[in-house]
Amino acid sequence: MLSVHEARERILSHFQKTATETIPLTVCANRVLGADITAPHDIPLFDNSAMDGFAIRAEDTHASPTTLSVVADIPAGSTPTVTLAPMQAARIMTGAQVPAGANAVIPVEDTDFRHREAGTSAPETISFTKTVKTGDNIRLRGMDMWAGEVVLQTGRVIKPQDLGLLAALGMANVTVHKKARVALLSSGDELLTVDAPLEPGKIRDSNSYTLAAAIENAGADVLRLGVAKDSRDAVTALFDNAVNEDVDLILSSAGVSVGAFDFIKEVIEANGSMNFWRVNMRPGKPLAFGEYRGINFIGLPGNPVSAFVGFEVFVRPVLGRMSGSMDGNSQTVKVRCEEEIESDGRESYLRAKLRSENGVLQAHLTGHQGSGNLLSLVQADALLIIPAGVKCVPAGQEVDAILL
Ligand code: AMP
Ligand code: MG
């Protein structure tokens, strides 16, 4: 049977970054940059005041008496027309362009000008007790970014603060990777939608709700195909819908085990090919990978925890690769087991709650680890990874964990 590592590498080798598209800045948050961003001009674009105060020549604050005549008033957004001569000052607001001749700004708080409320006009003269040095309270042109500097790199997931930077640089449209498109289906005669009345022997389809959200959370778009009944024709019909929609991946849950009504494997083999359908892991051994009419297919197990773990271990990395993101994989951390953990030797993913003690993450299992138990999954902060071949992890030992 394939190891998790081999299975993931085999799957990943069939996927590439999506193409890029150019979209408005307003809808760029959380998308992945498809090209480096180079500043087209300096920021700040002009020397400007970092304070509300008076633009002066620093050397004049060392003169005696230190009374300067105020020859201009420069609000933010205006272009100064004066050139300061010795012993002259200009009232200036934060962000306003520093006039020629000035080399420092003295904050209004350090002057004798007491009228600081909005609407007051500039005084005729100004004096102060403190001195300033050349450059004080002036934000120099290019201090933040230089023209030609690469300020954001391709593959970066765009954060809110990145949008501010892009706006400051005038990027009304941004090149990003296209979202991957995933067709999602559940399979099984027992499955009801969330709003249907319960019937004897039936259960609600929970996987498609978990998986659709997980797909979107990984930055892809989901096409919900619904539930396929346990028949060749029903499964084929839904797969054909996915092909018609030209998706990047068909993702199913259930129907890939060795049950008498598990038709998915058969349908894949009849219309494409199966690369593998079992992985040496727990939960989630019946995990299938293949291709249906030229479209990559991943078949997750049916049990809700197995489906979830299969998604985290195999599908999230695939969506990460397609997204073009530099950091698409699940985040793993080292945690210390608070209890002895037994395993059957398959690579195991165990639900655990974490707590931090003196900076060390301590893990204890969340109740019953059966692959159908959703409550112990939602109570977990992490999936502990017990490597293949390990049958017992003693209390106090460190293991890797995927943070949820
Ligand atoms: P199967 O792989 O079809 O044998 O399914 C394995 C188990 O997962 C069975 O107990 C199914 O009822 C359950 N199961 C399959 N699909 C879903 C689903 N979409 N939501 C919840 N449970 C499911
Ligand atoms: Mg089934």
Side-chain angles (χ1 to χ4, degrees), residues 56-59 82-85 98-104:
I56 54 176
R57 296 150 25 96
E59 53 272 33
V82 290
T83 298
L84 291 193
V98 173
N103 60 20

Side-chain angles (χ1 to χ4, degrees), residues 185-192 202-203 205 226-231 235 253-255 261-262 264:
L185 65 135
S186 295
S187 73
D189 281 346
E190 74 278 32
L191 301 178
L192 300 172
K202 309 264 178 181
I203 61 166
D205 161 25
V227 177
K229 291 282 181 199
D230 283 323
S231 75
V235 170
S253 66
F261 300 93
D262 289 345
I264 289 194

Side-chain angles (χ1 to χ4, degrees), residues 22-192:
T22 299
I23 60 172
L25 179 64
T26 46
V27 293
C28 277
N30 301 318
R31 299 293 299 269
V32 178
L33 267 182
D36 286 348
I37 300 292
T38 303
H41 55 68
D42 292 347
I43 291 203
L45 203 44
F46 48 85
D47 295 354
N48 69 91
S49 178
M51 305 288 265
D52 294 326
F54 292 85
I56 54 176
R57 296 150 25 96
E59 53 272 33
D60 289 346
T61 63
H62 301 272
S64 185
T66 52
T67 299
L68 308 186
S69 52
V70 178
V71 296
D73 197 13
I74 312 171
S78 69
T79 312
T81 48
V82 290
T83 298
L84 291 193
M87 303 309 282
Q88 289 186 337
R91 186 167 77 160
I92 192 165
M93 300 300 134
T94 305
Q97 186 169 353
V98 173
N103 60 20
V105 168
I106 189 152
V108 69
E109 295 89 329
D110 295 340
T111 72
D112 66 346
F113 186 51
R114 299 273 155 250
H115 305 290
R116 291 167 200 168
E117 43 310 328
T120 50
S121 48
E124 278 176 16
T125 62
I126 192 74
S127 63
F128 29 82
T129 44
K130 293 194 179 163
T131 60
V132 288
K133 300 185 302 300
T134 298
D136 278 2
N137 302 311
I138 291 180
R139 304 189 282 216
L140 292 176
R141 172 175 189 149
M143 185 182 247
D144 193 5
M145 291 167 252
W146 293 108
E149 186 177 350
V150 174
V151 288
L152 291 174
Q153 277 170 334
T154 182
R156 179 181 173 98
V157 180
I158 300 174
K159 302 178 184 181
Q161 57 269 44
D162 300 350
L163 295 185
L165 182 145
L166 292 163
L169 292 174
M171 310 269 173
N173 297 292
V174 181
T175 299
V176 297
H177 282 281
K178 288 186 175 172
K179 285 189 170 196
R181 297 180 68 238
V182 181
L184 177 66
L185 65 135
S186 295
S187 73
D189 281 346
E190 74 278 32
L191 301 178
L192 300 172

